[in-house]
Amino acid sequence: MLMAAAQPAAAAIEVRSDRFRVIANTDSATAVQAASHLEATADRLASLGFQLRRPDLPVTVLIFAGQDQLARFQARTQARAFAATAEDGHFIAIAWNAPGSPWRALAHEYAHLASDKGSLPPWFREGLADYLSLQRE
């Protein structure tokens, strides 16, 4: 079930699904579609036997309209998206209007969250993320 919170035009939009909290400074349709796409991606990964190492932690997705807004949160890289896990949750941040497909980037980053860094070789994790990024609802 997806729920969108009505916000003033300049404020961020927040959408919640069963497994994801999406906060976007784009439009509400983008946030709803992103949550739906991530739910489908999580289902695909689960069917392959992968899930978050800490499924008890929330997954928060931050959608920025452009690369300049995302860059403030990146240490060294200028990638269009990145994923991270902290003590209080899993996070994906993405520059929505950057070159390339935002759908592929979301699936790719979620696959990184769901594939355990300690038990899988890097080449497999990256291959899994690329494979998932090519799947579409």
Side-chain angles (χ1 to χ4, degrees):
M1 180 171 87
L2 300 174
M3 297 176 15
Q7 302 288 331
I13 303 294
E14 180 176 341
V15 172
R16 290 179 183 260
S17 66
D18 291 339
R19 292 175 273 206
F20 298 94
R21 176 180 177 220
V22 178
I23 302 170
N25 70 352
T26 58
D27 57 274
S28 61
T30 296
V32 168
Q33 291 171 355
S36 178
H37 179 66
L38 283 165
E39 288 289 346
T41 299
D43 288 342
R44 280 189 203 96
L45 270 170
S47 74
L48 297 171
F50 294 94
Q51 67 175 5
L52 296 172
R53 185 181 345 170
R54 294 280 317 274
D56 57 311
L57 295 177
V59 179
T60 300
V61 181
L62 304 172
I63 298 177
F64 298 95
Q67 186 70 43
D68 56 328
Q69 296 166 337
L70 177 64
R72 293 181 287 186
F73 300 94
Q74 293 175 303
R76 294 173 292 208
T77 178
Q78 289 300 308
R80 90 163 296 148
F82 65 91
T85 297
E87 289 182 17
D88 58 345
H90 305 283
F91 300 89
I92 296 172
I94 181 171
W96 198 257
N97 295 323
S101 167
W103 308 112
R104 288 188 66 185
L106 282 175
H108 186 100
E109 296 306 327
Y110 183 76
H112 282 309
L113 290 177
S115 56
D116 188 308
K117 289 183 182 180
S119 65
L120 297 171
W123 62 265
F124 184 86
R125 292 181 70 240
E126 196 58 37
L128 177 65
D130 282 345
Y131 169 76
L132 252 305
S133 74
L134 295 173
Q135 308 302 304
R136 186 72 166 115
E137 299 174 57

